[in-house]
Amino acid sequence: MTEHETIQDFLNCRRLAVAGVSANEKEFSRVVYRELKSRGYDLVPIHPSATEIEQDACFARLQDVSPPPEGVLLFTRPAVSEQVVRDCSEAGVRRVWFHRSVGPGSISDAAVAYCRDQGMNVIAGQCPMMFLSNTAWPHRFHAFLKKLTGSYPR
């Protein structure tokens, strides 16, 4: 599967967990969370200490979510991503998206390698907002710049 096909496969899922979604409503992870929710996704927030995010019950661990999500979007620090992907494997989640817009994002080389070793579908380092239809202009512009530089997924 190409990277673009993997992205479309992930976005075609309806039940997603968002690991590392911030308790701070002004953080970018919350912007993405609200946007996905407004588009009809059934979202499950994963945060170690929050009990609720955007009026949705929050879970400390992915293994506590029932039924399990079809995919997990990570906004975690790279060091935390390694544990989250192990949780994904234990919970039977086969699709993992490591968010990145600027900086390292959620990507950990060890976590990505673990996912691939487990046969998971991995998106390592894109922002989902670029791939949503009718998204806001900053995200369309971000996609345009990636196309210009040749780093947009094919």
Side-chain angles (χ1 to χ4, degrees):
M1 200 179 319
T2 67
E3 185 176 13
H4 193 266
E5 290 169 333
T6 302
I7 288 167
Q8 290 311 307
D9 176 64
F10 188 96
L11 292 175
N12 286 336
C13 296
R14 297 323 296 166
R15 183 167 170 79
L16 300 172
V18 182
V21 62
S22 179
N24 179 344
E25 65 185 39
K26 294 180 182 179
E27 290 290 329
F28 186 67
S29 63
R30 290 287 284 272
V31 171
V32 174
Y33 192 93
R34 284 189 292 271
E35 181 64 26
L36 291 173
K37 192 172 178 178
S38 77
R39 291 170 180 258
Y41 285 90
D42 177 15
L43 300 179
V44 179
I46 307 295
H47 188 284
S49 60
T51 57
E52 185 179 276
I53 300 281
E54 300 290 329
Q55 293 84 47
D56 294 327
C58 192
F59 296 85
R61 296 175 10 143
L62 190 58
Q63 296 91 321
D64 298 332
V65 177
S66 181
E70 298 170 84
V72 176
L73 173 59
L74 281 80
F75 282 96
T76 53
R77 293 183 326 276
V80 176
S81 295
E82 292 181 42
Q83 182 58 52
V84 174
V85 298
R86 292 181 187 284
D87 293 349
C88 288
S89 181
E90 187 177 315
V93 176
R94 309 305 302 159
R95 295 171 185 92
V96 177
W97 187 318
F98 295 87
H99 176 267
R100 179 192 322 174
S101 56
V102 294
S106 296
I107 299 172
S108 152
D109 292 338
V112 171
Y114 177 83
C115 289
R116 292 195 171 129
D117 289 346
Q118 298 300 309
M120 296 175 178
N121 290 340
V122 178
I123 302 154
Q126 301 291 342
C127 177
M129 298 291 275
M130 292 189 312
F131 303 96
L132 298 173
S133 62
N134 301 316
T135 192
W137 75 267
H139 310 295
R140 290 193 313 268
F141 185 67
H142 186 196
F144 172 74
L145 290 177
K146 289 182 82 64
K147 288 174 183 175
L148 278 179
T149 62
S151 59
Y152 191 82
R154 297 173 190 240

